[in-house]
Amino acid sequence: MKKISVILATMLVAFVCSTQASARGVIVYHLGEDLKITQKLPAECIGEDNMHYNLGVHYESFGLFWMPVWNYGEYKYALINDKEDTYIDLTLEEAKAFGKKYKFDVPDQPQLPLLTQIGLKPIIVILIILAIIGLFKKKKKEEEDILNQKNMPTDGTNTPPTTE
């Protein structure tokens, strides 16, 4: 909930601070390595640097407004600290050893949570559909305006010509 509030507040500030009648705006994006915790480990999982680590996935991502749009590259298991700023890559065997020790299943291929996989894709698709609909409506409106101008009399009155 806190993450959503921060995202909404940032988007609000970005749009409020832009100048009036301007097509410019602030777009916050990220590109590169990303980390996602997939399994919380007990408090006893302390590394050599005295930080607590959880099992997660290390991958590459492109995102807008702190939300992923496209995940790519090789997914690797990793131990990720609680702040999600330090990681240690693991082999499949090492990840499975953690799963066996702490009694949880570790898939053969690292997988991201569903919401991280989906990200902003539905919103982007909706925006594209709305833009296409807007273009068709604009074109239809222009065609109607041209037809109305052709049907208007040239004598200055606003009544269409009558056929007798």
Side-chain angles (χ1 to χ4, degrees):
M1 184 67 182
K2 184 178 179 184
K3 194 173 190 178
I4 293 172
S5 299
V6 170
I7 291 170
L8 291 175
T10 304
M11 288 175 58
L12 179 68
V13 168
F15 290 113
V16 169
C17 292
S18 65
T19 59
Q20 187 175 0
S22 173
R24 286 182 263 157
V26 177
I27 297 179
V28 179
Y29 72 95
H30 67 274
L31 180 66
E33 294 183 343
D34 212 347
L35 304 167
K36 188 68 174 178
I37 294 174
T38 56
Q39 185 69 44
K40 298 278 186 180
L41 297 177
E44 64 193 47
C45 294
I46 304 292
E48 294 173 358
D49 53 1
N50 291 328
M51 298 176 93
H52 176 256
Y53 284 88
N54 297 300
L55 186 65
V57 179
H58 174 220
Y59 62 101
E60 294 184 37
S61 174
F62 168 73
L64 297 171
F65 298 108
W66 302 279
M67 298 285 293
V69 174
W70 194 259
N71 303 318
Y72 59 94
E74 183 183 356
Y75 292 9
K76 302 175 197 169
Y77 282 112
L79 289 177
I80 303 169
N81 71 342
D82 290 333
K83 293 181 183 179
E84 295 187 26
D85 60 357
T86 303
Y87 66 93
I88 303 167
D89 281 333
L90 299 174
T91 64
L92 177 61
E93 293 78 25
E94 292 170 330
K96 286 196 177 274
F98 275 101
K100 187 175 183 180
K101 182 176 180 179
Y102 297 111
K103 297 179 177 71
F104 60 85
D105 187 39
V106 176
D108 290 338
Q109 292 291 326
Q111 296 177 352
L112 294 171
L114 183 62
L115 289 178
T116 304
Q117 290 177 13
I118 295 173
L120 288 176
K121 290 177 191 95
I123 294 172
I124 292 171
V125 168
I126 290 170
L127 289 175
I128 291 171
I129 290 170
L130 290 175
I132 291 170
I133 291 171
L135 289 174
F136 283 123
K137 284 187 177 184
K138 181 179 179 184
K139 188 174 183 178
K140 185 176 180 182
K141 174 81 169 132
E142 288 174 355
E143 289 173 357
E144 288 176 359
D145 288 344
I146 291 171
L147 285 175
N148 287 340
Q149 287 176 355
K150 286 181 180 178
N151 291 336
M152 294 301 281
T154 57
D155 61 359
T157 61
N158 286 336
T159 56
T162 58
T163 56
E164 294 181 26

